[in-house]
Amino acid sequence: MTAPSTFGLSREARNLHFLLTNLVEEVPGIQSVAVVSSDGLLLLSSDAERNAAAREAHEEKPTGPRGSSADLATIVSGIGSLTIGAAKLMDSGPVRHTMVAMDEGSLFVMSISDGSLLGVHGAADCDMSVVAYHMALFVGRAGHVLTPELRSELRQSLENESTSTGSTR
């Protein structure tokens, strides 16, 4: 069954939405997910699913960095740029993944084949190896279909979604 937010999207875009939804629902401890293009633009996020669940549960504030996929995308893009720069300075080859462990959570960033990044905000008690494994599965499945055309379609879809929901940010 296709979620309403994927109506009118290509098969590849619907497949990426499905993979992201499965990642969030199947892996314990994941609080939010964002896929960011190589130029730092948000392509795909778990916000829609998370915010709908929070509204249904009458929660005031969704979990995640300030409750926004835009904030997670900014963080992921910045960490991605920093680690790519560090790898170049150290002449150590491309960055495959980065993990930041904090007292109250974790942040995982993994490269996708086209230069895009997958970012996951995890709870403090998440199993880091399970999260990393499922992220690698997502990257393996998404990397070969994330073409420039699909990135453009995903960006346009997010723009249309924020316009139609009257984003107040």
Side-chain angles (χ1 to χ4, degrees):
M1 182 169 164
T2 303
S5 64
T6 63
F7 180 76
L9 294 179
S10 68
R11 182 178 55 80
E12 291 84 5
R14 288 191 313 270
N15 186 37
L16 283 179
H17 276 274
F18 174 77
L19 291 172
L20 181 111
T21 300
N22 277 351
L23 180 65
V24 173
E25 290 177 356
E26 299 294 323
V27 181
I30 288 183
Q31 295 183 342
S32 59
V33 178
V35 175
V36 181
S37 67
S38 58
D39 54 358
L41 297 175
L42 179 65
L43 298 176
L44 197 60
S45 80
S46 62
D47 255 6
E49 295 88 358
R50 227 173 7 101
N51 291 341
R55 281 192 300 274
E56 286 176 18
H58 304 296
E59 293 176 7
E60 290 292 316
K61 181 173 124 183
T63 58
R66 301 209 191 255
S68 169
S69 59
D71 291 334
L72 180 58
T74 301
I75 294 164
V76 167
S77 182
I79 287 176
S81 293
L82 181 64
T83 57
I84 288 168
K88 285 179 183 175
L89 284 172
M90 295 177 189
D91 197 23
S92 298
V95 177
R96 290 180 287 174
H97 61 269
T98 304
M99 200 254 330
V100 179
M102 300 166 276
D103 285 344
E104 300 298 322
S106 299
L107 176 66
F108 305 86
V109 179
M110 193 170 285
S111 298
I112 300 176
S113 63
D114 71 332
S116 298
L117 300 167
L118 171 64
V120 171
H121 174 218
D125 62 349
C126 72
D127 185 331
M128 293 181 198
S129 62
V130 170
V131 172
Y133 172 76
H134 284 277
M135 287 177 69
L137 289 177
F138 180 95
V139 166
R141 293 173 180 149
H144 69 282
V145 298
L146 205 49
T147 62
E149 295 80 18
L150 184 55
R151 287 193 303 272
S152 178
E153 179 183 0
L154 292 169
R155 274 186 241 165
Q156 186 63 45
S157 170
L158 278 176
E159 288 174 14
N160 292 343
E161 190 176 302
S162 67
T163 303
S164 68
T165 60
S167 178
T168 58
R169 228 174 181 229

